[in-house]
Amino acid sequence: MTSTALAHLLTVVSALLPEDKGATFWMPPKVSTVAHGVDWLFNFILAISVFFFLLIVVLMVYFIFRYRHREGHAAERSPTHNLGLEITWTVIPLILVIVIFVFGFKGFLDMSTPPANAYEILVEGQKWNWSFTYPNGYVDSNLHVPVNRPIRLVMSSQDVIHSLYVPAFRIKMDVVPGRYSKAWFEATEPGEYDLFCAEYCGTSHSDMIAHVVVHPVGEFERWLEKASDFLETMTPVDAGRKLFQVRGCQQCHSVDGSAKTGPSLLGVFGHEQALADGSTVVADENYIRESILEPQARVVAGYDPVMPTYQGRLNDREIMAIIEYLKSLGGTSSGE
Amino acid sequence: MAVDTLTVDGAVGVDHADPGNYLTTGRGVLSWLFTLDHKRIGLMYLVAITASFFLGGIFALLVRTELLTPGQTIMTADAYNQMFTLHGAVMIFLFIIPGIPAALGNFVLPLMLGAKDVALPRLNLASFWFWMFGAVFALVSIIVGAVDTGWTFYTPYSTTTSTAVISMTTGVFILGFSSIFTGLNFIVTIHKMRPEGMTWFKMPLFLWGLYSTAIIQVLATPVLAITLLLLIAERALGVGIFDPSLGGDPVLYQHFFWFYSHPAVYIMILPAMGIISELVSVFSGKHIFGYRFIAWSSIAIALLSFLVWGHHMFTSGQSSITNMIFSALTFSVAIPSAVKVFNWLATMYKGSIRLAAPMLYVLSFLFLFAIGGLTGLFLGALSTDVHLHDTYFVVAHFHYVMFGGTVIAFLGGIHYWWPKMFGRMYSERWAQVSALLIFVGFNLTFFTQFVMGSHGMPRRYYNYLEQFTTLHQASTVGSYVLGLGFLIMAGYLGHSLFRGRHAPSNPWGSATLEWETTSPPPTHNFDREFSADDPYNLDSLRFDPAIEGWVRKEPRSILLAEGGSH
Amino acid sequence: MAAQHHEECHDPHVAHHFESADQQFQSAKLGMWLFLATEILFFGGLFVAYSVYRSNHPEIFVFGHQFLDKNLGAFNTVVLIWSSFTIAWAVRAAQLKQIKLLKWLLVATMACAFVFLGVKYVEYSSKWKHGLLWAAKFQPHLEATVGDGHGEGDASHEAGGPQPEAEVPAAEASGTAEAPADPDRPTIPLAPDGPPGLAAEAEVAGAGHGAPMATPDMAKIFFSIYFLMTGLHGIHVLGGIAAMAWLLRCAARGDFDTGHFTRVDMVALYWHVVDLVWIYLFLLLYLIH
Ligand code: HEA
Ligand code: HEA
Ligand code: CUA
Ligand SMILES: [Cu+2]
């Protein structure tokens, strides 16, 4: 609640800023240190392209009218080649692309070498949500960062390749299973920005979207503190709901009775569950707990054993909170 | 070979009701399915890939329709993912790669050489049959669980998804052989069967295009084959080469895939450039400008194309040095293309330009390919590609080059050789209408995608943020206009087959050999063997109103015709 | 010249679209070379995969190759080289229209091919028996080197499972290992002179304390590569056999009586490449150091 309210406030403010943070016809707002370089190169190439494009089209159209086939007009004899000319239009483009290449490479080096003092955040991609782990161990599904401070992301994937993409920062980096990939940025404007998954990863690839919330100076620490001890500040049910949303549960479990990758958890608690092996079990605290820590142990009938374990990713208090939340979903309708 | 020359009247095959042309001699389905005649094989290919194009196009229209609104419009997310995968796979593997070489190339190449057939006719037929089998496997996958991996089949997604990846990749594997056979055949034919007087630098530039394409087909496709084989083994047996969960390396797959698939994009464009070189000269009524530069640039592109595959992987985490090298090499490919474009323009200079249907396509090619190619520069530059990679900017780029380049040139070629293939002319009026609709519709469909792409709209997105809605809807409307253009084309071309005016041997005033025989040609192509000379010496022709076609001013010197005499 | 050309046009061996037998032969030859180029590139992909893993994880090759029987490998190499010779001779025979000799040489070559496959079968089946298979099926059994199979179950698990810290070369680590001989296990020699990896593993397991030396992480990838490469090559050998059978039929039909030996030449070229590929496989998979 705190975080989102703050974020909203910020977006309202940011909307009032002049020329929308450097957004142009071609480019989204540019709010990172590298963005300016990227946009400069983009415009440089754009200028070259427009020039050559117009050159070609104008000449083409002119020729069509000037030399169109008509009575009494015949093709004039003209040289069938001209070495000088042809070398010219080989060399000029050559020089231009070399320039483009150099700037492109320089810009890339800036993007790929983070400053030493960068603040490190662990990123985990998983079908189909992001989780960001802060130095104090707190995990959130959105990326919160302080403004004007280099941030280093250390990223890994649970399953397939994902790609972290923040258009406003002009950064993109694949998140590959079996290895750590790294990216860094320094946000220059407070506000809330979109974070996409840019590498195709299946059904909900296009919903694997999060927000980057850039906090004004000083705000970030306060936010992190508040957010981290939500277990104290919130009721167990609210805390459970937050965890349920933030830690990826809701990607596969609905709470409205509709089946997704996993069974809906609406009114499951305290009810009989038919299991894949034919037996049944009452979904009590123990069963829920087991399903979170050893998902494959007793799978509900009709679903694949695909849930990743949360062993070591949720502590007992968090699991209790989730169980409380599931209880709160009541026993009215049933999710079998 | 024999060289005693004599002279005859240059105007050949004025007689339209030529009893024995390749279409009429030999009736019945089997006489087609098992023919060794390159013209018939070319025609069967033409039908097959046109069908594929329409199929892929219908998938495309479904994709576009789904994107009319964010969230669900007409299909589920899974259906959408299968839809763009099928669209991409069908368009690439079934349509555009065989496209120009197998259909137009097969028909035209031996004719341009004044030969009776390609060097290895059986291999040619095999190529067609492999295509058919490959197509069956690829399309069966739709029934047994349409693939949802994207046309790139990236691991580990492709090894874990529950859809029929094996069926599809097997299909592509087989299609690869058909492509190799075609390329191999063309290389041999061009090396061994050039006629008297046709030195390498007297070859029509379309043949240079096909030749450089064939080099890529022969050298790159086997790598795709082994890649797909490994992918299949990965899925079927779990060999772990690409599978991180078994200690393998998924990025290695990307290297393998692009080692083929980048050169493949030049398999698509080189023959297209060849067609443009022919057309721009003929319809400017002028000798091609800078023949040697154009010829060499084709070879240059073919060879350089093997060195740039890494530019598809700038964000995959490969080292900065690797990225640097690939970026630099990528730009080197841009230069030969630039050379061609300027030489084509120079050819129009001081010409006598006829805006017949084929020329209309040449003009839109120059317009669209320039945009497609120039946007390649944004992608080749490292820092900008990081932002643009896997966004609609890339989607727009490759449609501008593949559709705006290859497909447009392909249509130009069809309109150019149509009279030779079927002996009929089509309605210029309607041709202009559909050419215009296609041009406008295309730009509306894809220019919008550059804008949303650079604003950060990722590709392969079923759902999208509100802010992109208008652009997406404009794009969708464009695609319908585009479709309409094709409907009209189907209409007037179909009409010309039956009602079209009979075509003379040489309706456009071209100096290449295929126009020396009747339209349509007899099964053995030529009654005489020619000695070729400069294929762009258009001054040697004059228009003959009597036959509404062109004839040679002073007859071509021909060789004693033992070849055709039995 | 024109005359000679003329008669060649009626030569039944020259297809209608060629001007001369020579042009036809040249075309076929060029076509074949191009095809062989594609074959090389086809295998090339696997050789690249090989070198990538060889350079990133040398240890798994040092470890894995010990389970391949050099003697059988060498034997097969000799067989193939000999077969290359016989088929080259066959081409000569066809050229000289010595049809009878030609037939015998083709038979000889096919025989070699079958011997090769036979030996490969022996190698594969013992790999199979010991569970030394590609990644997903990699499940080494300890009775491979240990007579009695006590407590091998869990130990074999260890062997399969990844153990990052395991530092092979295995060779040194376990000269000590002494597992009893086991006659009917041809491909995995006795512990002292043979691959100690599993032997040591087994001993430890039997003794029941943690394994100091074990299968290097990803050893399974070596066997994936081994089966992929040799398997694909095996398929090509089968192809060669089919091609030679076809030649025999042509010879029987008397196609070669006129000295048109193009087909024989083509198949021979193909066979040489298959042979060449094997030599590389032998060097790269069996003889590592
Ligand atoms: C016909 C097919 C075709 C052609 C010809 C090209 C041509 C080029 N392509 Fe394209 N490309 C594709 C098909 C093609 N491409 C496809 C299918 C993809 C995406 C695959 C996927 O991910 O699904 C792709 C993706 C792609 C990428 C990866 C983008 C990404 O995923 O991040 C890159 C990056 O470098 C690139 C670059 C280029 C370049 C530099 C050229 C150059 O060859 C262009 C050269 C032409 C010109 C430069 C224009 C003409 C010249 C002038 C007008 C004169 C002035 C010129 C200068 C000043 C230089 N292409
Ligand atoms: C030769 C290659 C080729 C061609 C010609 C096309 C043609 C078209 N493509 Fe594309 N496309 C690809 C190759 C090609 N495509 C590839 C490789 C991808 C990447 C896939 C992936 O990400 O894996 C792709 C992806 C792709 C996307 C991105 C999907 C996504 O990332 O989510 C889109 C979206 O707009 C699109 C649209 C179109 C459209 C509208 C056309 C139009 O030009 C189609 C025009 C044709 C017709 C319209 C059909 C003919 C007419 C009829 C059938 C008559 C009936 C029509 C009416 C009644 C209107 N294509
Ligand atoms: Cu995760 Cu796309
Ligand atoms: Cu490319």
Side-chain angles (χ1 to χ4, degrees):
Chain A
M1 153 229 145
T2 48
S3 62
T4 46
L6 186 65
H8 283 312
L9 186 83
L10 288 168
T11 35
V12 175
V13 175
S14 60
L16 306 174
L17 291 173
E19 45 94 40
D20 192 12
K21 300 175 181 174
T24 66
F25 172 76
W26 285 107
M27 284 297 197
K30 48 169 174 293
V31 294
S32 79
T33 47
V34 293
H36 297 76
V38 174
D39 288 18
W40 181 87
L41 182 60
F42 186 96
N43 293 323
F44 178 68
I45 304 176
L46 187 62
I48 295 179
S49 304
V50 170
F51 171 77
F52 278 99
F53 175 68
L54 289 180
L55 182 74
I56 291 168
V57 172
V58 168
L59 281 176
M60 196 168 81
V61 173
Y62 172 73
F63 289 166
I64 292 171
F65 283 104
R66 177 75 178 66
Y67 304 119
R68 74 184 176 284
H69 179 72
R70 56 188 183 275
E71 274 316 309
H73 169 76
E76 298 168 48
R77 285 213 148 283
S78 57
T80 61
H81 59 85
N82 176 328
L83 195 59
L85 213 53
E86 294 177 80
I87 289 183
T88 323
W89 61 54
T90 310
V91 171
I92 292 177
L94 184 61
I95 296 169
L96 288 172
V97 292
I98 290 174
V99 176
I100 295 175
F101 160 72
V102 170
F103 282 107
F105 183 48
K106 277 180 59 202
F108 180 75
L109 286 183
D110 300 343
M111 294 179 177
S112 44
T113 44
N117 63 338
Y119 180 87
E120 196 163 282
I121 296 175
L122 301 182
V123 182
E124 192 166 82
Q126 170 188 356
K127 291 176 180 173
W128 291 276
N129 77 311
W130 298 99
S131 47
F132 304 91
T133 310
Y134 297 85
N136 69 354
Y138 170 67
V139 181
D140 198 298
S141 62
N142 287 321
L143 178 55
H144 291 258
V145 297
V147 71
N148 297 331
R149 171 119 182 245
I151 308 294
R152 187 158 172 277
L153 303 176
V154 179
M155 311 188 285
S156 64
S157 166
Q158 284 277 312
D159 34 48
V160 300
I161 303 180
H162 305 276
S163 187
L164 181 134
Y165 177 34
V166 183
F169 298 165
R170 313 287 192 268
I171 62 157
K172 183 182 287 113
M173 190 58 180
D174 290 7
V175 182
V176 184
R179 66 170 68 169
Y180 289 102
S181 51
K182 301 174 181 57
W184 84 278
F185 63 87
E186 177 176 343
T188 55
E189 297 261 8
E192 188 169 345
Y193 310 100
D194 300 313
L195 183 154
F196 297 114
C197 173
E199 184 61 65
Y200 175 71
C201 55
T203 309
S204 302
H205 165 57
S206 61
D207 296 329
M208 192 165 164
I209 301 179
H211 294 291
V212 186
V213 181
V214 179
H215 294 270
V217 188
E219 296 283 346
F220 174 73
E221 290 70 13
R222 222 170 317 128
W223 166 83
L224 185 56
E225 205 176 311
K226 266 227 177 57
S228 309
D229 59 352
F230 66 98
L231 285 169
E232 278 73 11
T233 55
M234 290 184 181
T235 68
V237 172
D238 290 345
R241 180 183 295 105
K242 177 179 167 68
L243 286 163
F244 191 83
Q245 291 161 351
V246 167
R247 303 304 283 279
C249 314
Q250 69 176 14
Q251 302 300 329
C252 301
H253 299 285
S254 80
V255 291
D256 60 8
S258 65
K260 291 165 95 175
T261 314
S264 169
L265 299 182
L266 172 63
V268 162
F269 190 85
H271 285 65
E272 284 244 322
Q273 298 295 313
L275 298 181
D277 60 20
S279 66
T280 64
V281 59
V282 175
D284 59 4
E285 285 83 352
N286 292 319
Y287 176 68
I288 302 283
R289 189 169 197 286
E290 179 191 75
S291 303
I292 293 174
L293 298 178
E294 305 165 40
Q296 267 57 296
R298 285 186 280 175
V299 180
V300 174
Y303 294 93
D304 301 335
V306 292
M307 173 167 165
T309 175
Y310 278 78
Q311 191 67 260
R313 290 163 67 193
L314 288 173
N315 63 36
D316 288 354
R317 270 190 77 188
E318 293 169 321
I319 294 177
M320 270 324 295
I322 291 176
I323 293 176
E324 289 309 314
Y325 170 59
L326 295 187
K327 283 183 187 165
S328 77
L329 295 174
T332 50
S333 142
S334 62
E336 280 95 289
Chain B
M1 75 163 73
V3 287
D4 351 6
T5 65
L6 59 83
T7 61
V8 296
D9 171 13
V12 258
V14 184
D15 169 17
H16 304 313
D18 183 342
N21 70 51
Y22 79 103
L23 291 167
T24 53
T25 47
R27 300 201 165 279
V29 184
L30 293 186
S31 77
W32 281 85
L33 289 182
F34 297 105
T35 180
L36 293 181
D37 178 355
H38 68 95
K39 298 183 289 306
R40 286 191 162 199
I41 293 174
L43 219 54
M44 290 194 292
Y45 252 125
L46 184 62
V47 173
I49 66 167
T50 311
S52 311
F53 174 72
F54 270 60
L55 181 64
I58 289 176
F59 289 139
L61 293 173
L62 290 169
V63 164
R64 280 305 339 156
T65 309
E66 169 53 41
L67 291 174
L68 261 174
T69 64
Q72 176 153 8
T73 311
I74 56 167
M75 61 180 92
T76 66
D78 288 319
Y80 177 83
N81 295 341
Q82 298 168 342
M83 207 49 75
F84 74 69
T85 303
L86 288 168
H87 164 65
V90 167
M91 283 294 193
I92 295 279
F93 297 115
L94 288 182
F95 165 63
I96 199 169
I97 292 207
I100 295 177
L104 294 178
N106 250 326
F107 186 92
V108 174
L109 178 130
L111 288 169
M112 275 188 162
L113 291 173
K116 291 191 202 64
D117 207 325
V118 292
L120 311 164
R122 281 192 189 74
L123 196 65
N124 204 13
L125 184 60
S127 160
F128 176 72
W129 277 106
F130 272 70
W131 187 94
M132 293 293 255
F133 286 125
V136 168
F137 272 94
L139 295 182
V140 159
S141 72
I142 300 178
I143 299 138
V144 297
V147 183
D148 70 342
T149 59
W151 80 283
T152 49
F153 308 121
Y154 272 18
T155 53
Y157 187 79
S158 58
T159 52
T160 49
T161 174
S162 61
T163 56
V165 175
I166 291 190
S167 165
M168 172 62 87
T169 44
T170 311
V172 175
F173 180 82
I174 299 170
L175 288 165
F177 281 97
S178 119
S179 179
I180 290 177
F181 291 169
T182 306
L184 189 152
N185 214 338
F186 286 2
I187 293 183
V188 175
T189 311
I190 288 174
H191 268 273
K192 300 298 177 193
M193 300 185 74
R194 272 174 293 120
E196 186 82 5
M198 187 184 284
T199 60
W200 280 97
F201 288 99
K202 285 249 175 64
M203 278 205 306
L205 286 162
F206 182 48
L207 296 190
W208 272 109
L210 290 174
Y211 184 74
S212 41
T213 307
I215 293 177
I216 305 179
Q217 286 176 300
V218 169
L219 295 186
T221 318
V223 178
L224 176 69
I226 194 67
T227 309
L228 295 172
L229 215 57
L230 284 171
L231 184 55
I232 293 168
E234 194 67 74
R235 260 189 93 88
L237 308 171
V239 291
I241 305 288
F242 298 139
D243 183 349
S245 65
L246 290 170
D249 177 0
V251 177
L252 181 62
Y253 170 84
Q254 298 178 19
H255 281 287
F256 271 61
F257 180 82
W258 289 116
F259 181 85
Y260 165 78
S261 292
H262 180 81
V265 310
Y266 296 100
I267 292 181
M268 306 169 195
I269 201 67
L270 282 168
M273 292 168 153
I275 292 181
I276 297 302
S277 304
E278 298 298 329
L279 270 52
V280 78
S281 157
V282 169
F283 291 94
S284 304
K286 221 167 124 277
H287 191 289
I288 188 79
F289 183 88
Y291 176 98
R292 276 171 183 269
F293 266 64
I294 296 183
W296 278 118
S297 59
S298 299
I299 299 298
I301 291 177
L303 299 182
L304 288 170
S305 71
F306 283 94
L307 308 175
V308 308
W309 76 88
H311 68 208
H312 295 270
M313 301 167 58
F314 284 155
T315 66
S316 69
Q318 65 191 1
S319 76
S320 304
I321 301 306
T322 322
N323 278 346
M324 180 195 75
I325 296 167
F326 280 123
S327 172
L329 290 167
T330 296
F331 286 113
S332 69
V333 191
I335 304 309
S337 314
V339 172
K340 283 185 196 287
V341 169
F342 292 124
N343 281 11
W344 291 326
L345 275 177
T347 307
M348 292 168 66
Y349 173 67
K350 287 192 175 181
S352 169
I353 299 168
R354 283 170 295 154
L355 293 180
M359 189 59 176
L360 295 180
Y361 285 104
V362 172
L363 299 178
S364 41
F365 176 96
L366 288 173
F367 185 102
L368 300 173
F369 177 71
I371 296 180
L374 287 165
T375 50
L377 304 176
F378 295 77
L379 301 173
L382 281 164
S383 62
T384 40
D385 181 67
V386 169
H387 173 58
L388 298 173
H389 172 68
D390 270 341
T391 66
Y392 263 81
F393 192 93
V394 177
V395 175
H397 158 71
F398 66 70
H399 283 91
Y400 263 84
V401 276
M402 290 199 294
F403 189 101
T406 308
V407 176
I408 292 293
F410 179 67
L411 297 176
I414 297 229
H415 285 79
Y416 178 62
W417 281 300
W418 185 268
K420 183 57 63 181
M421 289 178 154
F422 302 105
R424 303 278 193 161
M425 304 304 285
Y426 46 80
S427 152
E428 275 293 332
R429 209 12 99 249
W430 282 109
Q432 289 164 356
V433 174
S434 81
L436 186 71
L437 281 176
I438 290 175
F439 181 78
V440 173
F442 175 80
N443 283 293
L444 183 55
T445 311
F446 291 107
F447 197 83
T448 46
Q449 296 187 0
F450 279 124
V451 182
M452 61 174 112
S454 62
H455 273 278
M457 168 77 211
R459 64 189 284 198
R460 296 169 172 176
Y461 260 31
Y462 165 72
N463 189 2
Y464 54 83
L465 303 180
E466 291 298 337
Q467 74 213 56
F468 296 112
T469 312
T470 5
L471 285 167
H472 266 303
Q473 288 173 345
S475 174
T476 302
V477 172
S479 69
Y480 295 157
V481 178
L482 196 50
L484 189 61
F486 279 103
L487 279 184
I488 293 175
M489 182 181 297
Y492 71 77
L493 285 182
H495 175 272
S496 94
L497 280 181
F498 306 101
R499 304 247 175 296
R501 168 170 70 85
H502 281 283
S505 301
N506 188 349
W508 311 118
S510 331
T512 43
L513 289 180
E514 76 266 32
W515 305 101
E516 293 285 338
T517 183
T518 52
S519 313
T523 304
H524 55 279
N525 292 351
F526 300 96
D527 299 328
R528 312 190 271 325
E529 288 183 8
F530 301 97
S531 73
D533 53 11
D534 183 345
Y536 299 103
N537 175 15
L538 304 179
D539 305 341
S540 62
L541 300 154
R542 66 175 166 75
F543 187 73
D544 175 353
I547 60 170
E548 294 186 61
W550 296 64
V551 295
R552 302 188 70 85
K553 285 172 185 160
E554 74 290 328
R556 189 189 275 282
S557 73
I558 63 155
L559 307 170
L560 259 190
E562 307 91 346
S565 65
H566 58 74
Chain C
M1 185 262 196
Q4 169 221 0
H5 176 177
H6 197 77
E7 88 180 25
E8 270 177 7
C9 279
H10 300 299
D11 178 339
H13 288 276
V14 179
H16 79 289
H17 60 288
F18 285 114
E19 264 140 20
S20 66
D22 178 56
Q23 187 189 31
Q24 174 165 352
F25 176 72
Q26 293 302 333
S27 305
K29 193 118 181 166
L30 177 57
M32 194 61 197
W33 279 111
L34 287 169
F35 171 71
L36 295 180
T38 65
E39 283 284 8
I40 299 292
L41 283 153
F42 191 55
F43 278 100
L46 285 177
F47 282 110
V48 169
Y50 172 97
S51 24
V52 168
Y53 280 97
R54 178 90 189 255
S55 54
N56 295 348
H57 309 277
E59 75 279 5
I60 69 177
F61 289 81
V62 175
F63 173 82
H65 91 283
Q66 302 171 104
F67 295 93
L68 307 185
D69 188 320
K70 291 170 197 51
N71 306 332
L72 290 181
F75 175 73
N76 259 351
T77 313
V78 175
V79 171
L80 275 195
I81 293 179
W82 171 255
S83 73
S84 259
F85 167 70
T86 53
I87 195 145
W89 190 1
V91 176
R92 188 86 189 107
Q95 227 164 345
L96 304 175
K97 307 183 188 171
Q98 302 162 329
I99 305 306
K100 202 160 185 322
L101 178 62
L102 167 63
K103 288 186 190 155
W104 278 116
L105 287 165
L106 286 175
V107 172
T109 319
M110 289 170 78
C112 292
F114 278 115
V115 172
F116 177 90
L117 290 178
V119 174
K120 264 266 146 278
Y121 172 76
V122 174
E123 288 191 74
Y124 276 8
S125 50
S126 77
K127 293 279 170 307
W128 187 271
K129 196 162 2 160
H130 304 317
L132 294 168
L133 299 177
W134 54 89
K137 292 243 180 305
F138 186 71
Q139 211 29 283
H141 312 319
L142 291 163
E143 82 276 15
T145 45
V146 187
D148 68 320
H150 284 317
E152 109 237 341
D154 42 325
S156 70
H157 249 76
E158 311 247 343
Q163 301 188 8
E165 72 289 344
E167 263 321 312
V168 186
E172 300 83 83
S174 52
T176 60
E178 264 154 42
D182 195 346
D184 56 66
R185 299 271 192 281
T187 55
I188 301 198
L190 309 183
D193 53 334
L198 294 178
E201 179 60 21
E203 255 209 341
V204 175
H209 47 71
M213 207 299 304
T215 322
D217 191 10
M218 292 172 51
K220 44 186 173 321
I221 296 284
F222 173 86
F223 289 96
S224 292
I225 292 178
Y226 167 78
F227 278 102
L228 282 167
M229 292 183 122
T230 54
L232 196 62
H233 177 264
I235 293 171
H236 279 76
V237 173
L238 284 173
I241 293 176
M244 285 180 267
W246 171 67
L247 285 184
L248 272 178
R249 201 166 130 276
C250 298
R253 262 200 329 235
D255 294 5
F256 303 127
D257 303 354
T258 51
H260 278 278
F261 63 104
T262 314
R263 293 175 202 161
V264 189
D265 207 20
M266 302 296 129
V267 175
L269 279 174
Y270 170 82
W271 192 249
H272 292 319
V273 168
V274 172
D275 181 9
L276 187 75
V277 170
W278 170 256
I279 292 175
Y280 276 99
L281 292 185
F282 180 58
L283 293 176
L284 291 176
L285 291 171
Y286 289 73
L287 308 177
I288 291 174
H289 272 322

